[in-house]
Amino acid sequence: MGLKFLGLLLLIVALALGLWFGTDTPLGAAIFQLWPEFLNTFQAGVQRRVLPELWDWVILPVLLWPVWAVPAGLGGLFLLLGLARRR
Amino acid sequence: MFIKRRRGWEIPESQATPEHLVLGRRALMAAAGAGAMLAPSVAKAQFWRRSEPADPWTRLPAEIPDLPPAMRNTRYPADRALSPERDAVTFNNFYEFGSDKGIWSTALRMPTRPWTIKVDGMVESPGEFDVDDLIQRIGLEERVYRLRCVEAWGMTVPWTGFQLSKLLDIVKPLGSAKFVRFETAQKPEVMTGLRQSWYPWPHIEGCTIEEAANELTFMPVGLFGRPLPPQNGGPFRVVFPWKYGFKSGKSIARITLTDQRPVSFWETLQASEYGFWANVNPQVPHPRWSQATERLIGSNERVPTRMFNGYGDFVAGLYTNLQNERLWA
């Protein structure tokens, strides 16, 4: 029930984000619109205190995905897991 | 006697895969899917790591000529020991290549020849100049300047280059020109930061025409007597030694004289922290830290920061009638 609910919620969030920002808008652009200073500070924190490559090769590619893709992907996954568990 | 014949698809309960393994397999498949999406990035990272140059002075292309001899100008004593050469070329800020200080190996993938600088806007003689032609035409001198980063560290390095005013003499600014805008080159094939399309690229910096004409404003093409490496803003940059370092634009491709005050890259991103003037003042803290002292790169010694980074005799007069401006951020 929990996973299914979470999955549905994330799919609704994905739909809302897609409608609000447009289907082509990258996740990073949406974050930048909402909090212009966040990504710069976050990037500096990751690259200076953790690992530069973590930003370049993991976080940045995710930020370049359409804004709806991450919640849609996670929502779909949770929904499938929830349905599978029920069976 | 009742004999049950199992059909092909009927298997005993004991042969069924346990539920936790099925769910575990799904998680494994999900992880595999995520891995497949990120695999190209990881593979590319491995490739790039292997191709990293080991020498921070590596020239690309290798045929970049040595600089012609340049006399040191002693009018601007640094009053500090030079920073270690290796530190100066391996501890850098260049946002197009990343946020960490170790971007030098990535930046070295940027070819710095051929390189032209476009000078346009409110000038009598706009033009495009090849950097080597400019070096030959204007001639070079060496100046040892202190550099004060807004992040509260400092360096002292010998730049080789020429005064910006000498370039302005060539293009002849019109009387209506009030500001100078510096635009950093955009090389998306090597500048991974440009992939962040939400930022206001290209990187812009600017100053007033009076600041540009000041004798301290310098256009380095070299560092420690060698061609300026890209991680330090090569092949051609601007340096305002009395301002925080972020004002000194790197790898400049275009200079525009204008009557509109340029809005810089950092001003667009975080105006509260990175303003237009950004003159060094130890009494005015950054919103997140003190500017009273600075850490010297190399020795790690912490020393007091000086007003205008110690260059007040040359530049304080530029600001006497600008008391209402935010001169220190």
Side-chain angles (χ1 to χ4, degrees):
Chain A
M1 177 64 190
L3 277 177
K4 265 175 62 183
F5 176 75
L6 190 61
L8 280 172
L9 191 68
L10 283 168
L11 286 175
I12 292 167
V13 169
L15 183 67
L17 289 173
L19 289 172
W20 183 263
F21 289 102
T23 51
D24 294 341
T25 304
L27 174 63
I31 296 173
F32 184 68
Q33 278 184 42
L34 295 172
W35 304 284
E37 299 173 2
F38 171 74
L39 283 177
N40 169 43
T41 309
F42 181 43
Q43 181 184 359
V46 169
Q47 293 203 302
R48 294 178 186 182
R49 296 180 196 285
V50 187
L51 186 71
E53 288 80 6
L54 179 63
W55 178 268
D56 284 339
W57 308 113
V58 179
I59 299 173
L60 182 54
V62 173
L63 289 172
L64 294 171
W65 290 350
V67 63
W68 51 267
V70 174
L74 286 173
L77 183 69
F78 288 156
L79 196 61
L80 282 175
L81 286 175
L83 288 170
R85 209 171 253 189
R86 195 176 168 202
R87 277 193 222 116
Chain B
M1 185 178 170
F2 176 71
I3 298 173
K4 183 174 181 182
R5 293 179 190 278
R6 290 180 191 278
R7 277 168 262 183
W9 49 269
E10 287 182 305
I11 56 171
E13 186 74 16
S14 60
Q15 287 181 20
T17 309
E19 184 181 357
H20 73 277
L21 288 181
V22 174
L23 293 176
R25 192 185 60 185
R26 286 203 174 96
L28 186 68
M29 288 174 73
M37 281 191 281
L38 295 172
S41 293
V42 175
K44 203 169 175 185
Q46 290 304 317
F47 171 77
W48 277 46
R49 271 178 170 277
R50 277 196 296 273
S51 63
E52 274 181 4
D55 177 6
W57 291 103
T58 302
R59 300 180 191 183
L60 186 65
E63 298 75 32
I64 292 175
D66 289 335
L67 295 175
M71 291 284 290
R72 180 170 292 183
N73 188 332
T74 55
R75 181 169 157 76
Y76 314 102
D79 303 329
R80 268 183 201 165
L82 289 182
S83 302
E85 194 174 305
R86 172 89 189 179
D87 289 333
V89 293
T90 57
F91 185 90
N92 310 100
N93 280 333
F94 201 149
Y95 198 44
E96 283 84 338
F97 295 105
S99 267
D100 63 300
K101 304 297 180 200
I103 53 85
W104 64 271
S105 54
T106 308
L108 279 170
R109 296 189 192 99
M110 182 173 79
T112 53
R113 294 293 192 285
W115 194 276
T116 55
I117 303 105
K118 184 177 184 179
V119 186
D120 62 1
M122 295 176 162
V123 292
E124 272 181 38
S125 310
E128 287 200 27
F129 303 91
D130 177 82
V131 67
D132 291 311
D133 290 345
L134 270 184
I135 290 171
Q136 293 300 325
R137 184 169 173 180
I138 298 178
L140 300 178
E141 60 177 291
E142 184 178 81
R143 295 187 183 185
V144 179
Y145 278 167
R146 293 178 296 277
L147 182 151
R148 172 59 158 83
C149 179
V150 73
E151 297 165 344
W153 53 263
M155 280 189 192
T156 307
V157 293
W159 300 108
T160 309
F162 52 82
Q163 212 167 288
L164 174 57
S165 62
K166 293 185 177 177
L167 176 57
L168 296 180
D169 288 343
I170 294 173
V171 296
K172 301 182 184 71
L174 300 176
S176 52
K178 303 294 181 204
F179 299 95
V180 183
R181 178 181 180 274
F182 301 91
E183 183 177 318
T184 294
Q186 295 189 84
K187 308 279 185 184
E189 63 277 16
V190 284
M191 292 175 164
T192 54
L194 299 184
R195 293 161 64 198
Q196 298 168 85
S197 57
W198 45 91
Y199 287 141
W201 308 112
H203 191 118
I204 300 297
E205 267 308 335
C207 68
T208 64
I209 192 79
E210 292 81 13
E211 290 174 322
N214 185 274
E215 64 177 286
L216 285 181
T217 306
F218 203 55
M219 307 301 292
V221 294
L223 183 66
F224 286 97
R226 299 197 236 186
L228 189 60
Q231 65 268 32
N232 292 86
F236 183 72
R237 68 173 297 176
V238 62
V239 167
F240 303 98
W242 71 98
K243 293 177 178 286
Y244 291 116
F246 71 88
K247 289 295 297 180
S248 297
K250 301 182 181 78
S251 303
I252 288 167
R254 186 180 179 189
I255 299 173
T256 304
L257 284 85
T258 170
D259 57 358
Q260 303 293 312
R261 184 161 114 172
V263 180
S264 77
F265 179 87
W266 287 111
E267 203 177 357
T268 308
L269 254 60
Q270 277 176 288
S272 62
E273 299 188 5
Y274 310 106
F276 174 77
W277 298 98
N279 295 310
V280 175
N281 185 339
Q283 291 154 21
V284 178
H286 183 275
R288 289 182 282 151
W289 55 79
S290 166
Q291 297 288 29
T293 62
E294 64 203 73
R295 179 174 65 92
L296 298 182
I297 298 304
S299 69
N300 278 335
E301 181 188 358
R302 190 158 280 280
V303 299
T305 287
R306 295 157 69 183
M307 190 73 179
F308 290 112
N309 200 21
Y311 295 101
D313 290 347
F314 297 98
V315 297
L318 293 170
Y319 307 103
T320 47
N321 295 320
L322 294 169
Q323 299 311 314
N324 293 328
E325 293 281 338
R326 224 170 113 235
L327 295 174
W328 317 111

